[in-house]
Amino acid sequence: MSKPVLQIALDQTSLTDALNVTRRIAPHVDVLEAGTILCAAEGAPAVVSALRALYPGQTIVADLKVADAGSVIAEMVFSRGADWMTVICAAPLATMKSAKKVADAYGGDIQIELYGDWTFEQAADWLDAGITQAIYHRGRDAQAAGQTWGEEDLGKIRRLSEMGFAVSATGGLSPEDVHLFRGIPVKCFIAGRSLSEAEDPAAEAAAFRAAIDRYWS
Ligand code: 5RP
């Protein structure tokens, strides 16, 4: 089982604040995410362009949770240097396919963002469409309402992985949560607030890595 990598979700409300965070954290993570909140605040093309210019060698995700106009939005971010873009699980298959076509043209990839209601039958259709990445998400608002990571979530991640998906996990994760996922092939742990709001983001990233090293050899 490969070792999970670490992704920072940049969910600041200004590009200046986000770049202040990346200055401190970029060398300590594998993937930089132009977060949904940041893209809404500053515009996805501007955010992706800025990250690509500053971090030419790093994997960059545009977390737009696209629901429609898949190819148009995909063109906006892949042409600016994004490697991956998220599409929401509730989007029609046609949207996923059109986004994937653009991603393929740029050598990029599409990730299906899993929130709320979706089925394993739909997941099989995503695989048939050539989409092999999914993100299992405990939403920010669900977390604030008290939703915790449970056996049901972990079982779904395991089943998606057995189907052939590379599954990333996100939603209020801290280094103390990593052990919950042991034995499950997680592609990427995605963390926003726990990294960016830490007094020492590099030390927090190191704590994530230590927890990953402990449970994935
Ligand atoms: C919100 C997101 C966040 O980027 C993701 O949940 C990670 O952030 P945090 O660790 O702060 O919850 O996609 O929609």
Side-chain angles (χ1 to χ4, degrees):
M1 192 185 301
S2 0
K3 206 177 265 197
V5 298
L6 186 58
Q7 173 173 328
I8 173 130
L10 297 164
D11 281 316
Q12 291 68 36
T13 52
S14 85
L15 186 54
T16 305
D17 288 349
L19 295 182
N20 283 335
V21 171
T22 50
R23 214 164 285 128
R24 300 180 73 194
I25 198 75
H28 308 286
V29 297
D30 305 289
V31 181
L32 299 175
E33 172 191 314
T36 312
I37 293 171
L38 180 60
C39 288
E42 294 278 14
V47 174
V48 172
S49 298
L51 290 175
R52 179 49 74 215
L54 288 166
Y55 304 100
Q58 212 139 2
T59 301
I60 293 175
V61 188
D63 182 23
L64 289 168
K65 303 180 176 71
V66 172
D68 193 12
S71 62
V72 177
I73 299 174
E75 182 65 37
M76 283 180 200
V77 294
F78 286 110
S79 66
R80 264 72 173 202
D83 297 290
W84 303 338
M85 182 186 84
T86 62
V87 174
I88 194 75
C89 58
L93 195 56
T95 299
M96 296 172 180
K97 285 181 176 172
S98 67
K100 174 85 169 89
K101 198 169 170 190
V102 175
D104 287 347
Y106 282 96
D109 208 359
I110 294 299
Q111 301 175 295
I112 302 297
E113 186 99 22
L114 304 172
Y115 273 97
D117 295 330
W118 55 274
T119 66
F120 286 100
E121 288 71 29
Q122 286 174 299
D125 290 341
W126 306 334
L127 273 181
D128 284 347
I131 296 172
T132 57
Q133 283 205 64
I135 301 175
Y136 197 93
H137 203 135
R138 174 178 62 155
R140 194 179 255 249
D141 299 332
Q143 179 193 1
Q147 190 180 312
T148 55
W149 290 97
E151 268 313 312
E152 197 184 335
D153 302 304
L154 301 172
K156 285 181 182 174
I157 295 175
R158 199 175 283 113
R159 186 164 163 193
L160 285 164
S161 159
E162 284 163 3
M163 287 174 76
F165 284 99
V167 188
S168 297
T170 191
L173 290 177
S174 69
E176 291 71 39
D177 297 315
V178 166
H179 75 97
L180 296 171
F181 300 85
R182 66 183 176 270
I184 300 176
V186 173
K187 178 181 175 68
C188 189
F189 284 111
I190 306 169
R193 291 161 289 175
S194 65
L195 285 174
S196 61
E197 293 172 10
E199 202 169 307
D200 183 347
E204 189 75 356
F208 262 108
R209 297 244 191 242
I212 291 169
D213 287 346
R214 186 158 172 204
Y215 297 106
W216 282 265
S217 47

